Amino acid sequence: MQRGGTRISEARSAPEAARSVRPEGTIDAFISDVVAAEIARQMRLSVATSRSPALVAAVQRVMSRHGITDPHRLRDRIAADDALREEVLDEVTVRETHFFRDSKQFELLRHTILPHLCRPRASAPARIWSAGCASGEEPYSLAILCAEDGHSVRISASDISMKALAEAAEAEYGEWSFREMGEYLKRRYFLQRGDRYRLRPDVARSVRFTQVNLGFDRLPAPDRGLAGFDLILCRNVLVYLDAADLMRVAEELFTCLAEGGWLLTAPTDPPLWRYASFQTATTGAGLVYRKPMHVAREAGYEARYSKEARR
Ligand SMILES: C[S@@+](CC[C@H](N)C(=O)[O-])C[C@H]1O[C@@H](n2cnc3c(N)ncnc32)[C@H](O)[C@@H]1O
């Protein structure tokens, strides 16, 4: 008798099947999604269900490197060993990024959003946050754009990974990071040393880095300067979060914006409009979210803005 192409007499449980195909001399333990999820919880790492196989594979690689055969032992060691925690984090997270990633979004930033935020008579520099900045190319792209166009801004950037933040603070990059950035800006803002390029220190200094775990830390955090932003970029990060955390983070990002502030996510990120009271616009660069102005202020602002525009 056959069911789904397998003879019932030959059918085995999933763990049995996994044990039988495991090569000799490697890890004994069978790592289930459940144990891997426990490890992620121990690390306070939010992982989307779709990333479960990647999490299991990452845990497996770290166990193999350290000769750990019981995943529960890895979980317990992570609690007391920050370096091991960072190592697992590094295996699980995707840190792919580059300068001016998604040129359409940078066009929108350059020609619409930044000129609006940095109007000549603005009373203070615009405040920008790159949340999930990886090795720094995203906030530094903003810093370069603002230097180029003479905008006065304060840029914060954060990531869960200390390793990524250390690389970002170094501000030195290889050729691959420049694949979407023109030669003109590269020559103007980077100093070449062999096959590496170091960002000009005056521009690098305009970005402040800090560690934030979006899946765990509570936001806004005014004491850490994480509140009242005019613009937040949170691109290619939300797609990795567990569904419950995604809803909470959407609300927290909304609360971290100043009235009238803007939020950009990546075109491949999940839509956020259903989780917080954003004004959402569909543009050629994907969805753009704004925190509405108070109605009275919106009217006042519009009047002032059109008066300025008429001058
Ligand atoms: C693919 S990179 C995106 C970098 C940049 N935003 C871009 O779009 O090019 C994703 C980054 O999100 C970070 N990340 C993942 N989960 C996070 C979390 N819960 N909190 C903060 N950062 C997280 C990763 O460490 C990684 O550096």
Side-chain angles (χ1 to χ4, degrees):
M1 183 178 171
Q2 292 224 245
R3 194 194 287 164
T6 306
R7 282 182 189 285
I8 287 199
S9 58
E10 289 170 7
R12 292 168 300 172
S13 69
E16 268 173 358
R19 264 196 298 277
S20 64
V21 294
R22 213 169 318 113
E24 287 297 319
T26 58
I27 294 165
D28 280 345
F30 173 69
I31 301 175
S32 69
D33 288 8
V34 177
V35 184
E38 257 182 59
I39 291 171
R41 253 196 311 281
Q42 172 68 50
M43 293 169 42
R44 295 172 174 161
L45 179 65
S46 176
V47 182
T49 315
S50 61
R51 298 272 304 152
S52 233
L55 175 65
V56 169
V59 166
Q60 187 92 46
R61 284 195 294 277
V62 175
M63 287 176 63
S64 172
R65 264 204 303 277
H66 288 266
I68 300 172
T69 53
D70 178 357
H72 296 98
R73 177 145 170 69
L74 177 70
R75 181 199 57 198
D76 296 342
R77 275 184 56 180
I78 283 170
D81 186 340
D82 285 348
L84 189 61
R85 181 186 178 281
E86 275 294 316
E87 190 178 328
V88 178
L89 195 66
D90 203 41
E91 287 285 347
V92 181
T93 51
V94 176
R95 294 208 272 119
E96 164 56 27
T97 186
H98 54 270
F99 287 104
F100 293 91
R101 179 177 190 177
D102 195 333
S103 53
K104 281 188 182 162
Q105 287 196 324
F106 275 94
E107 287 294 306
L108 183 76
L109 285 164
R110 180 166 210 179
H111 298 297
T112 306
I113 297 179
L114 288 170
H116 178 87
L117 293 181
C118 309
R119 293 182 304 280
R121 275 177 289 281
S123 54
R127 299 198 52 231
I128 302 177
W129 178 23
S130 162
C133 65
S135 39
E137 286 90 330
E138 180 178 276
Y140 288 144
S141 300
L142 286 164
I144 290 169
L145 212 52
C146 292
E148 197 58 14
D149 293 345
H151 295 314
S152 171
V153 291
R154 281 166 55 199
I155 303 175
S156 303
S158 65
D159 202 277
I160 191 175
S161 158
M162 290 305 289
K163 191 171 169 189
L165 292 171
E167 285 172 21
E170 200 60 29
E172 195 177 282
Y173 299 94
E175 201 66 64
W176 189 234
S177 286
F178 297 93
R179 59 194 182 276
E180 210 174 339
M181 178 173 172
E183 270 303 309
Y184 168 79
L185 288 180
K186 187 175 163 198
R187 267 203 298 273
R188 196 161 144 80
Y189 288 93
F190 290 84
L191 314 166
Q192 186 170 2
R193 288 187 191 169
D195 60 355
R196 307 282 296 166
Y197 298 83
R198 185 177 279 267
L199 181 61
R200 266 175 29 197
D202 58 312
V203 181
R205 268 197 300 273
S206 66
V207 181
R208 284 184 47 195
F209 293 96
T210 184
Q211 188 190 32
V212 175
N213 178 353
L214 291 170
F216 181 75
D217 295 333
R218 289 293 89 93
L219 296 162
D223 50 321
R224 300 180 64 194
L226 298 169
F229 289 103
D230 300 299
L231 168 65
I232 299 176
L233 267 65
C234 187
R235 306 185 308 156
N236 303 296
V237 183
L238 301 170
V239 69
Y240 298 116
L241 299 186
D242 153 271
D245 289 323
L246 172 68
M247 284 195 259
R248 185 183 45 73
V249 172
E251 267 189 35
E252 290 187 348
L253 291 176
F254 180 85
T255 316
C256 283
L257 285 172
E259 287 181 2
W262 308 68
L263 167 68
L264 291 191
T265 60
T268 48
D269 282 324
L272 302 184
W273 48 265
R274 58 171 80 99
Y275 306 131
S277 314
F278 291 110
Q279 288 174 338
T280 307
T282 308
T283 72
L287 293 179
V288 175
Y289 306 96
R290 275 192 89 182
K291 182 169 183 168
M293 299 261 195
H294 187 275
V295 179
R297 287 196 207 182
E298 181 84 76
Y301 166 78
E302 289 303 344
R304 197 173 68 241
Y305 187 64
S306 40
K307 203 166 140 197
E308 275 171 15
R310 278 199 302 274
R311 275 194 195 132

